[in-house]
């Protein structure tokens, strides 16, 4: 029975069953984590498992699961898991680029990208940037070796037409990587839109409990993915078996969490838009959001993150302090709602009162009531 036969149903069925081995009598449905630095290896060093930095059975199951979510039913797709989202991002950038190459990055992407830019430039790689919205990266694409897309962007939630950008990049001989962290594979599938790599931090909504650092790269088999695998081997940016097992366990509830969190995020966004002190509200699921038209064409869900701006830093801090159901914490995608004043980190071109809110799995009415009460208490 092949994978397409086993997982021909909907997203919930796929998430629950993805990556599981064939059932064996008296064995667990999801085998426990394999803690091994080395394996029995008499004779020639052939076979799937030789040394713990190269492969691990627990990774194998997780990689199969993620591959089934990112590219269901597609043959010849590989997934590699990493110690963090940044390890996955770095593996693509540094395995594909050489001195003299040019890469296009989003100017409004994840706040660690400026550090990545500095390192790339130190290696003699030209870095061009443009914002995500309006397909602005098209204007700096000529001659680039790699286009990096982050859609929706973090934290501003702009969206670009991925298929249009991919077609333009491929016509110019460039590879395309899409950071799919915010959308998750249930909200968007970059490989279906033509991208060469789907890259994500599994720390966020994919695993959803705020207790795992993880990253992954999914792409079609070939030299680009071989280079990513080689980079992982060289750098050793590998996940621990316990983290990999926890991630696989958590994926079983992905569809349930995504459905609840995304629906609640829309309710929250609709409530916040009624507040006069809230400006710059962004959520791609709102019909009048600047990104909605493009997002609706390529996304199957709009994510759990809502962003907005309060009039001042002090107002934002008072709002965060007044919240009871929302933790003041970084990251996003967890079952417990979190929010932060994003400007406290630096690196993001956002106003001092900018809030990134990650909507959890709480009851929508309770969460909205908490947010509105906190806004009232934060008033001057």
């Amino acid at each position: 029975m092949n994978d397409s036969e086993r997982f021909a149903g909907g997203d919930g069925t796929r998430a629950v069953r993805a990556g599981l081995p064939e059932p064996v009598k008296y064995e667990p449905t999801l085998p426990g984590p394999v803690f091994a630095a080395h394996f029995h290896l008499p004779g020639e060093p052939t076979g799937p498992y030789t040394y713990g930095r190269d492969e691990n059975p627990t990774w194998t199951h997780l990689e199969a699961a993620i591959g089934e979510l990112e590219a269901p039913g597609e043959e010849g797709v590989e997934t590699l898991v990493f110690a963090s989202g940044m390890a996955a991002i770095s593996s693509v950038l540094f395995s594909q680029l050489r001195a003299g190459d040019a890469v296009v990055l989003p100017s409004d992407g994840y706040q660690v990208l400026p550090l990545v830019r500095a390192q790339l430039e130190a290696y003699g790689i030209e870095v061009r940037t443009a914002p995500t919205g309006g397909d602005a990266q098209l204007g700096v694409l000529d001659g680039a070796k790699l286009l990096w897309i982050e859609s929706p962007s973090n934290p501003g939630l702009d969206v670009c037409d991925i298929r249009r950008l991919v077609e333009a990049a491929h016509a110019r001989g460039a590879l395309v990587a899409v950071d799919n962290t915010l959308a998750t594979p249930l909200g968007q599938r970059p490989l279906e839109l033509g991208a060469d790599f789907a890259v994500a931090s599994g720390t966020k909504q994919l695993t959803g409990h705020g207790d795992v650092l993880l990253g992954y790269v999914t792409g079609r088999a070939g030299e680009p993915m071989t280079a990513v695998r080689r980079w992982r081997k060289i750098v050793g940016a590998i996940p621990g078996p316990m983290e990999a097992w926890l991630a696989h366990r958590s994926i079983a509830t992905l569809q349930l969490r995504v459905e609840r969190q995304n629906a609640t995020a829309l309710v929250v966004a609709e409530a916040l838009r009624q507040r006069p002190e809230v400006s710059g509200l962004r959520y791609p699921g709102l019909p009048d959001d600047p990104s909605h038209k493009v997002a609706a064409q390529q996304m199957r869900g709009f994510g759990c993150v809502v962003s907005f701006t309060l009039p001042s830093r002090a107002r934002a801090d008072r709002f965060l302090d007044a919240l009871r159901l929302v933790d003041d914490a970084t990251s996003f995608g967890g079952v417990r709602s979190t929010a932060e004043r994003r400007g406290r980190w630096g690196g993001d071109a956002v106003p001092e009162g900018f809030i990134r809110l990650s909507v959890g799995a709480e009851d929508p009415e309770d969460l909205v009531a908490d947010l509105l009460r906190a806004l009232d208490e934060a008033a001057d």
Side-chain angles (χ1 to χ4, degrees), residues 337-352:
S337 293
T338 60
E340 68 173 337
R341 191 181 63 78
R342 193 64 187 160
R344 65 181 177 173
W345 296 102
D348 289 318
V350 295
E352 285 289 340

Side-chain angles (χ1 to χ4, degrees), residues 133-274:
D135 299 337
Q137 290 175 308
L138 278 175
V140 293
L141 192 54
D142 284 353
K145 174 74 177 297
L146 176 67
L147 168 63
W148 192 275
I149 293 172
E150 189 176 299
S151 181
S153 60
N154 172 29
L157 304 183
D158 264 329
V159 169
C160 61
D161 187 333
I162 294 174
R163 193 181 297 279
R164 171 175 157 82
L165 284 171
V166 166
E167 290 174 354
H170 285 172
R172 293 162 171 81
L175 295 169
V176 181
V178 177
D179 187 327
N180 204 34
T181 302
L182 206 146
T184 82
L186 299 195
Q188 179 173 270
R189 294 190 176 118
L191 297 191
E192 289 183 357
L193 298 171
D196 301 287
F197 304 102
V199 187
S201 168
T203 308
K204 312 299 194 295
Q205 197 173 18
L206 185 83
T207 55
H209 292 79
D211 55 7
V212 170
L213 283 172
L214 190 85
Y216 70 85
V217 179
T218 300
R220 294 177 183 86
E223 177 51 34
M225 280 299 290
T226 298
V228 173
R229 183 183 295 275
R230 185 165 55 244
W231 182 263
R232 184 178 71 174
K233 179 183 178 73
I234 293 168
V235 177
I238 58 173
M242 191 67 197
E243 286 79 5
W245 185 87
L246 285 169
H248 198 169
R249 178 213 59 176
S250 299
I251 284 175
T253 62
L254 178 61
Q255 191 268 348
L256 300 174
R257 291 183 283 105
V258 164
E259 186 176 85
R260 174 61 172 263
Q261 290 173 256
N262 291 9
T264 303
L266 180 59
V267 172
V268 164
E270 289 171 339
L272 289 172
R273 74 194 305 185
Q274 308 301 321

Side-chain angles (χ1 to χ4, degrees), residues 1 9 36 61 69 80 82 84 95 100 108 129 142 149 165 168 211 213 225 228 231 249 251-252 270 298 300 330:
M1 184 162 54
H61 296 312
L69 296 177
L80 298 170
F82 290 82
S84 67
S95 70
D108 54 347
T129 62
D142 284 353
I149 293 172
L165 284 171
D211 55 7
L213 283 172
M225 280 299 290
V228 173
W231 182 263
R249 178 213 59 176
I251 284 175
E270 289 171 339
Q298 65 191 21
R300 299 157 64 239
T330 194

Side-chain angles (χ1 to χ4, degrees), residues 27-43:
E27 293 294 323
T29 305
L30 176 62
V34 175
F35 298 95
H38 58 263
F39 302 84
H40 287 297
L41 195 64

Side-chain angles (χ1 to χ4, degrees), residues 7 10 19 24 36 40-41 46 62 96 116 125 128 132 137 147 154 162 190 204 212 237 247 259 320 331 355 361 380:
F7 305 110
V24 177
H40 287 297
L41 195 64
T46 58
L62 174 60
Q96 306 302 314
V116 174
I125 296 164
R128 308 169 187 167
T132 299
Q137 290 175 308
L147 168 63
N154 172 29
I162 294 174
K204 312 299 194 295
V212 170
E259 186 176 85
L320 293 170
S331 198
I355 301 291
D380 294 328

Side-chain angles (χ1 to χ4, degrees), residues 167 188 214 281 285 294 304 353 370 376:
E167 290 174 354
Q188 179 173 270
L214 190 85
L281 177 69
V294 173
C304 64
D370 190 45
D376 289 338

